[in-house]
Amino acid sequence: YLEGGFQAWQEAGLPLINPESLPARDARGRTVWVTRARPKIDRIACPWLIRRFVDPRAVILFVAPSEVEGVAARHNAAPFDIEGVRFSHRGELCSFDVMLREFGLSIPALDRLAIIVRGADTARLDLAPEAAGLLAASLGLSRMYADDLEQLEAGMGLYDAFYRWARDATGETHNWPNAKAGVAL
């Protein structure tokens, strides 16, 4: 939470989301999103972004690929990370990049995280050294959880950690053993 709330956020020049960029809300005031089942990188990163920066009460639905469009229509949900929809890959950008642009969320930590997500999601591990680690962790999560919503909850912590690293720990290193002068190892 930010001391001073919305007013302090706005005065600090931090990004504000244009409400017109959001899908309609359901009867309980939540945005509803739908994507393909068995999520990996983008399909965990996007819900993380939505819940952390756009709508903390957002509903995320994972369905068979052939059902995404029908479920989106039935539940007035925003489809993402499938071909031919607003929130999906564009050129070299992955769905996470597109959401950042559509929502106007450009802060250094999210911009850095986007490169990592793009590298892991598009098999361009050369974009950031951390992309290979995100890919490995994402594939591991997909093997640990058969339930997509359980995997999403576990992935939220993973993306929280990557975001916190991108926000305030990129300059920190860990050296072991710590060789002290005159101490034999």
Side-chain angles (χ1 to χ4, degrees):
Y1 295 98
L2 178 68
E3 189 174 321
F6 179 80
Q7 184 73 28
W9 184 270
Q10 190 172 23
E11 289 171 1
L14 294 168
L16 300 173
I17 296 171
N18 178 352
E20 293 176 13
S21 69
L22 297 176
R25 295 184 181 271
D26 69 5
R28 295 169 63 184
R30 308 167 301 182
T31 56
V32 181
W33 304 81
V34 61
T35 191
R36 298 173 287 133
R38 299 309 306 142
K40 299 292 185 297
I41 295 116
D42 244 355
R43 285 171 285 140
I44 298 291
C46 291
W48 172 84
L49 179 70
I50 292 163
R51 285 191 175 163
R52 294 298 190 249
F53 291 88
V54 177
D55 179 6
R57 298 184 316 128
V59 175
I60 311 298
L61 304 172
F62 295 101
V63 300
S66 62
E67 297 177 14
V68 172
E69 291 180 16
V71 169
R74 224 173 5 264
H75 295 282
N76 202 23
F80 68 96
D81 202 43
I82 64 164
E83 288 187 41
V85 300
R86 176 180 173 197
F87 298 108
S88 193
H89 289 235
R90 291 183 195 161
E92 302 233 339
L93 301 178
C94 67
S95 300
F96 187 80
D97 291 306
V98 169
M99 281 190 177
L100 287 173
R101 286 187 178 186
E102 289 285 328
F103 297 139
L105 290 171
S106 181
I107 58 174
L110 287 175
D111 294 342
R112 178 174 279 143
L113 181 57
I115 295 168
I116 297 167
V117 171
R118 185 180 330 123
D121 195 61
T122 62
R124 293 183 300 162
L125 302 179
D126 59 308
L127 292 180
E130 301 79 17
L134 177 59
L135 175 61
S138 297
L139 295 176
L141 283 175
S142 75
R143 302 300 192 284
M144 291 171 60
Y145 296 94
D147 182 282
D148 293 346
L149 293 175
E150 288 179 12
Q151 181 184 343
L152 172 59
E153 290 311 310
M156 295 294 285
L158 176 67
Y159 280 89
D160 285 341
F162 268 92
Y163 173 74
R164 286 301 302 268
W165 170 83
R167 191 182 80 183
D168 48 40
T170 58
E172 187 175 326
T173 61
H174 180 74
N175 295 319
W176 182 256
N178 185 5
K180 295 180 183 176
V183 175
L185 299 177

